[in-house]
Amino acid sequence: LNKTILTVYINELFEISLDHGKWKIKNDYILYYILLWNVVKNARINFLDRLFIYDKNIFIRIMNLLEALRMLSKNNISSLIVFNTKFNKDQGSLSINLKEANKLLAELPLKKHTSDFNYLELIKAGEKHKSVEDIDMDLFVNLCSVDGAVILDSAFNILSYGEIIDTNLKSINEFGTGTNACKVASENGGLAIKVSEDGDIKVYSNGELILTL
């Protein structure tokens, strides 16, 4: 029994597993609602009606991100996803252009950001940035595996990837590099998700660990 690995899938968001004698419950519903709340609390009131009545894409984007996190966790790929939780739209649209993306990136504690690199074309579709709904899932997972953080906005548009969080801004060096980056990036109402090489998924908000899956 101690060498047995057994996984029971209740549905795509909830599973129970027996791994080498230890039972584990993985409840992605909690993370789903954290991500949804991240949208609601930052959206302007005049945008909420359209968001929940006419536009179902936001729910698809949440599910796509959860699927990417599961793939990263299953394959033990260390990664960091950071949200700029400010909603940068006045009109009823989920898309974001280069100017808006750069404005959001400038508000994050990044060591250095530039939009001039050709590799950023992977996350662009014309003048717009791709979202986790638009991009190929395998490509997005590969972007998450690159050293540095993938940066998303509240509507799950991909602002950048391979970004280095400037942890020198805070004196929290008692933790590992990834944890320090999460704590710094998630301050002031932010959100950061860290996938460890052991498969654990940890969510940080306001500089504190709020969920481990």
Side-chain angles (χ1 to χ4, degrees):
L1 184 62
N2 288 336
K3 295 183 179 180
T4 301
I5 298 177
L6 172 67
T7 302
V8 180
Y9 294 95
I10 308 302
N11 57 46
E12 59 183 336
L13 292 177
F14 189 86
E15 67 180 59
I16 301 173
S17 64
L18 175 63
D19 189 348
H20 295 87
K22 293 183 179 181
W23 286 98
K24 295 181 179 179
I25 296 177
K26 197 163 188 177
N27 188 353
D28 288 348
Y29 280 108
I30 301 174
L31 181 52
Y32 180 95
Y33 289 116
I34 288 174
L35 294 171
L36 183 58
W37 175 243
N38 185 53
V39 176
V40 173
K41 73 175 183 177
N42 294 291
R44 292 180 170 85
I45 296 300
N46 62 349
F47 184 70
L48 286 176
D49 286 343
R50 182 182 186 280
L51 177 64
F52 291 108
I53 296 176
Y54 302 108
D55 203 329
K56 307 302 181 184
N57 291 18
I58 199 71
F59 304 105
I60 296 174
R61 295 181 181 194
I62 292 175
M63 293 301 295
N64 283 5
L65 179 57
L66 290 176
E67 176 62 25
L69 290 170
R70 282 194 290 268
M71 292 173 65
L72 291 164
S73 175
K74 181 179 179 181
N75 292 287
N76 303 108
I77 300 174
S78 178
S79 54
L80 175 61
I81 298 174
V82 172
F83 288 83
N84 183 322
T85 55
K86 293 183 179 178
F87 210 85
N88 195 43
K89 303 297 293 182
D90 290 314
Q91 69 275 21
S93 173
L94 292 178
S95 63
I96 191 169
N97 59 37
L98 178 60
K99 182 179 179 180
E100 292 168 330
N102 285 336
K103 180 180 178 182
L104 290 174
L105 287 167
E107 297 173 348
L108 292 172
L110 306 179
K111 282 194 173 181
K112 186 178 181 181
H113 167 72
T114 176
S115 60
D116 297 333
F117 296 127
N118 290 329
Y119 66 76
L120 289 179
E121 293 301 318
L122 291 172
I123 59 172
K124 294 179 182 176
E127 297 297 319
K128 302 291 185 180
H129 278 243
K130 293 180 181 179
S131 73
V132 295
E133 177 188 6
D134 308 319
I135 197 168
D136 176 79
M137 181 61 68
D138 289 331
L139 174 57
F140 181 68
V141 169
N142 285 332
L143 296 181
C144 291
S145 69
V146 173
D147 286 343
V150 169
I151 311 296
L152 305 179
D153 70 359
S154 288
F156 305 93
N157 294 302
I158 307 167
L159 306 182
S160 187
Y161 66 97
E163 297 286 355
I164 304 300
I165 306 300
D166 190 357
T167 56
N168 293 325
L169 298 174
K170 297 288 182 179
S171 299
I172 53 172
N173 294 322
E174 65 268 27
F175 303 103
T177 302
T179 299
N180 286 340
C182 283
K183 292 177 76 68
V184 171
S186 67
E187 288 189 341
N188 301 316
L191 190 70
I193 302 174
K194 176 178 176 285
V195 181
S196 303
E197 290 183 350
D198 61 5
D200 284 347
I201 299 173
K202 296 185 177 181
V203 183
Y204 292 78
S205 181
N206 289 314
E208 299 294 334
L209 177 65
I210 62 171
L211 178 67
T212 299
L213 293 173

